[in-house]
């Protein structure tokens, strides 16, 4: 197949492209056309998100769309590009990196504001570092579903519009088929973008990037000038990152590769590689098979985020000059993160106000869950139901108790918990907890089953999972089995950086 740029498109496909990141100039990106794939087909389409964005009616029905979102066609008004950035990977300075297999098609004006459209897996770029620029079907399905699962949980994330597949071959540990996921976000600017220009001594570009982020995404900081402006930027990113880490931890999400080039300055969950939602609770769980030292284990994520913020702070120092205000901005993490964690855990427990012993109550619960590797999501859901049912049943907590081997430990904790709940309206409290503690998460084995079916040409489970994950707090009786405990074979699934 030869590459073709569409000279014209039907009126319904005239998307409202606007210049955003590209206005910064060629120091920030390289124009790059996607590389076509043979015989593309739909794997998953996010109808709800397409409607939210306000994309044209019958958007999916135009053959140009399938071709364009596979990288076989460039829609009129789009100007594909790959951006350059650097970063620390597994704690080591890696130097220049960049969009090695991601291509931005540009920004469009949507019902939710200006959004950048990006293809992941559309072929090599100037930053591919001898890579092929491709993504495989399994990883593309995982990112598609994970992006929308996080959104359904109310956790800031890049979004996913669709996945396309192709019989085109890609070699990883074995030969696999290619796929392209269309990602959407207000911006894909990473900590590593700032690190790049600071490391190159390109201070004018560093300032331009900071001003761009403030103007387009943090306009409330625009009245500031000089060093205070960039201190405020650092503090804003620090606050957003702290809040995001609290959300990850409370839902049991493991990222797997928290390199600085995978950290969003907007506080979005970015780059779904070897991620996982916890099954049995293990604070030391490592979801990335390639993370041999456990740098990105679940319990270490908040500290790693703090370390990454210091890298960002160092990159911004040429604009800030004095160390003290930068350190103060970074130190705000130490108050924001634990405060956000405390509040989130109180909500999970149905506690409407703060008491002195709440943190100890949570820590003792987590130790009990750790001791017996209790399923994290099932525990919280059963606890929510038990609180609601305890308004009229003396046996409401038995299903929760059954999750523990050391039941006496749970019994002692539950006594303290019920005393803490006091005379609260149990029915109303339980209902609120059910809106806080999801019934459905993207468990590894569910993603694996969807991938296996997709490899056989059946994409129904991808779409069904998408619908359920968009509403993870609802019941979905047809898919009750997806809310159950993970099967034994789920622990054998290995997820690495290879995708």
């Amino acid at each position: 197949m030869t590459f073709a740029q569409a000279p014209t498109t039907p009126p319904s496909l005239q998307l409202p492209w606007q210049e955003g990141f590209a206005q910064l100039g060629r120091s920030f990106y390289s124009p790059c056309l996607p590389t076509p794939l043979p015989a593309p087909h739909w794997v998953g389409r996010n109808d709800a998100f397409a409607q939210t964005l306000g994309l044209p009616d019958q958007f999916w029905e135009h053959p140009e769309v399938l071709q364009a979102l596979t990288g076989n066609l460039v829609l009129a008004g789009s100007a594909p590009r790959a951006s350059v950035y650097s970063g620390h990977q597994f704690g080591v300075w890696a130097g220049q990196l960049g969009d090695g297999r991601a291509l931005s098609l540009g920004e469009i004006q949507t019902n939710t504001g200006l959004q950048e459209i990006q293809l992941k897996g559309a072929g090599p770029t100037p930053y591919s570092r001898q890579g092929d620029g491709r993504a495989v079907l399994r990883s593309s399905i995982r990112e598609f579903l994970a992006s929308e699962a996080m959104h359904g949980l109310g956790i800031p994330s890049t979004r996913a519009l669709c996945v396309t597949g192709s019989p085109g071959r890609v070699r990883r540990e074995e030969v696999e088929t290619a796929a392209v996921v269309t990602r959407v976000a207000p911006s894909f600017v990473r900590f590593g973008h700032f690190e790049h220009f600071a490391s190159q001594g390109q201070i004018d570009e560093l300032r331009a990037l900071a001003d761009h982020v403030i103007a387009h995404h943090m306009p409330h900081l625009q009245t500031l000038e000089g060093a205070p402006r960039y201190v405020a930027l650092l503090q804003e990113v620090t606050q957003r990152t702290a809040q995001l880490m609290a959300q990850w931890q409370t839902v049991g999400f493991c990222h797997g590769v928290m390199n600085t080039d995978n950290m969003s300055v907007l506080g979005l969950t970015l780059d779904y590689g070897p991620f996982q939602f916890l099954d049995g609770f293990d604070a030391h769980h490592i979801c990335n098979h390639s993370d041999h030292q456990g740098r990105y284990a679940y319990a270490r994520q908040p500290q790693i985020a703090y370390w990454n913020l210091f890298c960002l702070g160092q990159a911004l120092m040429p604009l800030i000059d004095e160390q003290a205000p930068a350190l103060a901005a970074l130190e705000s993490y130490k108050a924001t993160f634990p405060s956000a964690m405390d509040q989130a855990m109180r909500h999970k427990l149905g506690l409407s106000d703060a008491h002195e012993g709440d943190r100890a109550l949570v820590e003792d619960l987590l130790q009990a869950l750790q001791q017996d590797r209790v399923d994290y999501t099932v525990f919280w859901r059963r606890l929510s139901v038990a609180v609601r049912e305890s308004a009229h049943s003396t046996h409401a907590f038995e299903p929760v108790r059954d999750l523990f081997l050391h039941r006496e430990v749970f019994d002692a904790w539950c006594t303290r918990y019920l005393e803490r709940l006091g005379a609260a309206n149990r029915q109303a409290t339980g209902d609120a907890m059910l809106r806080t503690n999801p019934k459905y998460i993207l468990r590894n084995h569910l993603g694996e089953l969807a991938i296996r079916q997709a490899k056989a040409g059946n994409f129904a489970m991808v779409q069904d999972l998408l619908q359920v994950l968009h509403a993870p707090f609802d019941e979905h009786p047809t898919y009750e089995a997806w809310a159950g405990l993970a099967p034994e074979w789920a622990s054998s699934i290995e997820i690495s950086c290879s995708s």
Side-chain angles (χ1 to χ4, degrees):
M1 181 183 296
T2 59
F3 185 87
Q5 181 167 352
T8 59
T9 52
S12 61
L13 287 182
Q14 292 289 343
L15 299 180
W17 298 101
Q18 293 189 17
E19 274 205 334
F21 186 83
Q23 290 178 320
L24 288 168
R26 288 290 300 278
S27 296
F28 295 82
Y29 68 91
S30 296
C32 182
L33 294 176
T35 304
L37 283 168
H41 58 264
W42 294 114
V43 174
R45 303 191 306 198
N46 193 345
D47 295 330
F49 187 37
Q51 292 176 7
T52 298
L53 292 174
L55 292 176
D57 294 338
Q58 288 80 47
F59 178 73
W60 306 114
E61 306 309 316
H62 295 281
E64 293 90 348
V65 171
L66 173 60
Q67 297 295 330
L69 298 185
T70 306
N72 296 352
L73 183 76
V74 176
L75 295 175
S78 172
R81 63 177 186 261
S83 74
V84 62
Y85 48 82
S86 297
H88 286 81
Q89 297 189 327
F90 289 89
V92 177
W93 177 245
Q96 180 178 303
L97 299 167
D99 289 330
R101 55 178 173 161
L103 275 177
S104 174
L105 302 184
E107 291 91 350
I108 62 171
Q109 190 59 244
T110 75
N111 292 342
T112 59
L114 205 61
Q115 296 282 344
E116 183 173 343
I117 312 297
Q118 190 180 87
L119 302 185
K120 183 175 180 179
T125 77
Y127 313 111
S128 293
R129 304 180 298 282
Q130 288 77 53
D132 59 17
R134 293 298 187 194
V136 298
L137 181 64
R138 58 179 165 84
S139 65
S140 300
I141 288 175
R142 281 172 56 84
E143 175 149 359
F144 176 67
L145 293 175
S147 304
E148 294 308 295
M150 294 295 265
H151 176 73
L153 291 166
I155 299 175
S157 173
T158 58
R159 301 290 304 275
L161 182 61
C162 64
V163 179
T164 68
S166 164
R169 298 296 182 177
V170 178
R171 181 173 293 279
R172 295 297 182 259
E173 284 89 353
E174 58 184 17
V175 176
E176 303 182 56
T177 58
V180 177
V181 59
T182 299
R183 310 196 294 186
V184 182
S187 173
F188 288 89
V189 173
R190 307 149 186 265
F191 290 14
H193 280 93
F194 290 91
E195 288 185 285
H196 176 76
F197 294 108
S199 69
Q200 299 292 320
Q202 295 177 274
I203 307 308
D204 289 342
E205 287 82 358
L206 180 69
R207 181 177 289 104
L209 178 62
D211 289 342
H212 169 84
V213 170
I214 290 170
H216 288 82
H217 308 291
M218 303 172 189
H220 56 288
L221 304 182
Q222 281 193 278
T223 56
L224 299 172
E225 296 181 357
R229 179 184 181 91
Y230 306 112
V231 172
L233 170 62
L234 180 59
Q235 178 144 349
E236 177 81 14
V237 178
T238 298
Q239 299 290 305
R240 293 189 185 202
T241 303
Q243 294 285 346
L244 180 67
M245 290 304 106
Q247 291 175 290
W248 282 8
Q249 297 302 108
T250 52
V251 80
F253 176 76
C254 307
H255 186 281
V257 195
M258 290 178 63
N259 298 329
T260 58
D261 57 294
N262 291 337
M263 298 291 291
S264 161
V265 297
L266 301 189
L268 306 174
T269 310
L270 176 68
D271 282 351
Y272 292 91
F275 71 85
Q276 185 180 357
F277 290 88
L278 290 175
D279 290 326
F281 183 78
D282 179 8
H284 309 294
H285 181 69
I286 303 166
C287 70
N288 182 356
H289 187 60
S290 305
D291 185 6
H292 304 296
Q293 303 302 316
R295 177 179 175 82
Y296 299 135
Y298 166 77
R300 298 190 68 185
Q301 292 183 141
Q303 181 60 35
I304 292 298
Y306 187 49
W307 189 93
N308 288 341
L309 284 163
F310 265 82
C311 293
L312 176 63
Q314 184 67 39
L316 286 171
M317 283 309 297
L319 307 182
I320 295 173
D321 295 327
E322 295 184 12
Q323 190 176 69
L327 286 175
L330 292 165
E331 288 296 294
S332 68
Y333 186 94
K334 292 184 177 180
T336 301
F337 171 73
S339 175
M341 276 292 296
D342 288 345
Q343 182 177 23
M345 296 306 287
R346 284 197 301 271
H347 287 165
K348 291 180 77 67
L349 288 166
L351 305 176
S352 59
D353 56 354
H355 284 197
E356 184 177 348
D358 288 349
R359 186 173 292 180
L361 185 69
V362 169
E363 290 174 351
D364 291 345
L365 169 61
L366 295 179
Q367 288 180 11
L369 296 176
Q370 174 86 30
Q371 182 180 21
D372 292 345
R373 297 296 193 272
V374 175
D375 188 281
Y376 190 71
T377 302
V378 170
F379 166 79
W380 286 108
R381 191 68 179 187
R382 287 194 188 182
L383 184 71
S384 306
V385 172
V387 169
R388 184 184 63 183
E389 297 301 318
S390 68
H392 49 76
S393 171
T394 58
H395 303 288
F397 287 89
E398 287 303 316
V400 190
R401 190 173 186 263
D402 289 343
L403 294 170
F404 291 81
L405 294 173
H406 297 83
R407 295 183 177 180
E408 71 283 358
V409 174
F410 171 74
D411 291 342
W413 179 85
C414 192
T415 297
R416 291 165 58 199
Y417 172 54
L418 294 177
E419 289 176 354
R420 173 66 178 88
L421 275 180
N425 182 327
R426 297 284 178 85
Q427 178 78 36
T429 299
D431 287 340
M433 292 171 67
L434 288 169
R435 294 189 296 271
T436 302
N437 296 311
K439 182 168 184 174
Y440 298 91
I441 57 169
L442 181 57
R443 294 182 183 270
N444 258 359
H445 76 278
L446 295 178
E448 178 64 21
L449 289 173
I451 290 165
R452 291 178 185 178
Q453 292 184 22
K455 286 182 175 180
N458 181 355
F459 309 117
M461 188 171 178
V462 173
Q463 288 297 144
D464 291 344
L465 266 175
L466 179 68
Q467 300 309 312
V468 170
L469 295 171
H470 273 166
F473 304 99
D474 296 347
E475 287 298 321
H476 306 291
T478 303
Y479 303 103
E480 185 70 24
W482 292 355
L485 298 171
E488 288 188 12
W489 63 267
S491 61
S492 66
I493 300 173
E494 291 185 350
I495 309 298
S496 71
C497 293
S498 171
S499 61

